[in-house]
Amino acid sequence: MGIAGSLRGCAKRVYQRLHFFGQADLLLRHRWQAKHAEADYEERLFRPLPDANSIRSILIFKPDEIGDAVYALPAIAELRRALPQARLLLVCQSLAAPIYRASGLLDEIAAAKVRNPDGPFCFMSVSRTLDALSLRQFDLGIYLKPSPRYFRQFLRVPCRDRVYPNDARFPALSIYRPRVEHWGPVRAHAGVQLLQIVSGVTGRSYGHDSVVFPRMEWSPEDRARAATVFPDGALPERFGVIHPFVKDQTRRYPIAMWMQLIRRLQQEFSFPWLVVGGPGDPQLELPAGVIQAQGRLSLGSTGYLLSRAAAFVGLLSGPAHLAAACGTPSVTLFSGVSPVAEWAPLGRSLILRSDVPCAPCESKTCPVFDVACMRELTPERILPEIIDFLRRETCNDAAALAARNRLASGERTVDSAPPVTSVNAELFRISNV
């Protein structure tokens, strides 16, 4: 796995160098658009926008997983607001389809079967996927993704006009290419990046305040199935959800540390705690009273539980993003894989991370440091922060309900315990608006 990670990193660096000259062209374009503050002239800059009056159908191309689907919702809501007369049709991964259905924003959804989604080459049949839709020709196609991983498949969708990022990795086949803060030393949050893509249709400017999640309406089947995991077959008034499972080694938190966290959470909070996970996730040796629902729930049922929970504690994954988007007080143990400014769960959210010098690594394995970024978040150091945050956020149910589906933004450092090894650890909080 170490050799595979090295080859992947080498291929990524070669890929970046191949696009160096394209990025230089983009830099020239930004200079062309710029104006000196002291220049003695007036200017009005008009962005190319498709004719909104002629758009009756929009195909949104977003074959990504759960976390990406969560942050696509504010962008899709903006399209619905800006073009109420247009039919919104979506191509997504079958895994993420329940999230889009619960949002109520789409007229039609086509779930694609993507083979090898985590590998260097992915495969999907665009024609078979489009067969599930009532239309086969679209006025506008939107590639709602800042990277070109599925762009070749997107080009197979028959569209009159296309919208996608103005990036050297995408061929210049359309004039509707908005600038997206994805390529460069500073990246916008994932939710903001997707809003920047749809700005190529709406003509608006977006920031963190624009990342507003729609209210999710889960089906009666999802609600009924969620209740079955509790002993009496009914959801308690208050409960907490824990998600301790992820695919990649570099995002995992040691199971022994999870045991300490869960045992202390059970002692500090009177409501029951529930562990969620997929069918391949193992059963854990947890204290009596902790419910284990691994493999027993669909994504829709899990989403309903997350929206009703009093608290969520987990790793950086789809459930963490979904819980925060639903307004649930959420604690996320953040590894050194991804930049927090780009992938922090937005909502009533506390981010715990360790300031290791090897981050961000963007790797699936850690053969050298044994995932020091996670091991440094020992229970002794992070439990006081978790308990303090959850007590403040769960003490007032009325305030909790009012804050649902609101965005929280901003990051600040809080005091942490002295480092226990040579790697300094810091705690970061995403504070409320």
Side-chain angles (χ1 to χ4, degrees), residues 7 14 42 154 184 259 346 405 408 414 433:
L7 291 175
V14 170
E42 293 188 11
F154 170 68
M259 301 296 185
L346 294 181
N405 299 320
V414 298
V433 169

Side-chain angles (χ1 to χ4, degrees), residues 14 53 101 145 242 250 268 275 300:
V14 170
N53 295 325
R101 293 193 187 99
K145 186 174 177 64
I242 298 170
T250 46
E268 294 290 336
V275 176

Side-chain angles (χ1 to χ4, degrees), residues 376-417:
E376 286 299 305
L377 299 176
T378 62
E380 295 78 12
R381 303 176 75 178
I382 66 175
L383 269 168
E385 293 292 333
I386 296 175
I387 293 169
D388 175 66
F389 173 78
L390 292 181
R391 278 179 176 168
R392 285 188 289 104
E393 292 295 327
T394 62
C395 66
N396 190 331
D397 289 338
L401 290 174
R404 298 273 167 162
N405 299 320
R406 291 181 182 173
L407 170 70
S409 62
E411 182 184 74
R412 66 184 180 88
T413 305
V414 298
D415 294 334
S416 60

Side-chain angles (χ1 to χ4, degrees), residues 269-290:
F269 298 94
S270 58
F271 47 76
W273 287 89
L274 171 77
V275 176
V276 296
D281 294 324
Q283 294 289 305
L284 306 177
E285 296 181 4
L286 298 178
V290 178

Side-chain angles (χ1 to χ4, degrees), residues 252-316:
R252 294 176 193 158
Y253 191 63
I255 292 297
M257 293 185 181
W258 267 121
M259 301 296 185
Q260 297 180 55
L261 287 184
I262 295 173
R263 189 177 298 110
R264 182 70 181 278
L265 289 172
Q266 193 181 35
Q267 295 171 356
E268 294 290 336
F269 298 94
S270 58
F271 47 76
W273 287 89
L274 171 77
V275 176
V276 296
D281 294 324
Q283 294 289 305
L284 306 177
E285 296 181 4
L286 298 178
V290 178
I291 303 169
Q292 300 196 60
Q294 299 93 304
R296 298 167 59 187
L297 297 171
S298 64
L299 177 58
S301 300
T302 302
Y304 176 63
L305 284 176
L306 293 174
S307 69
R308 291 289 306 274
F312 171 85
V313 181
L315 303 173
L316 183 64

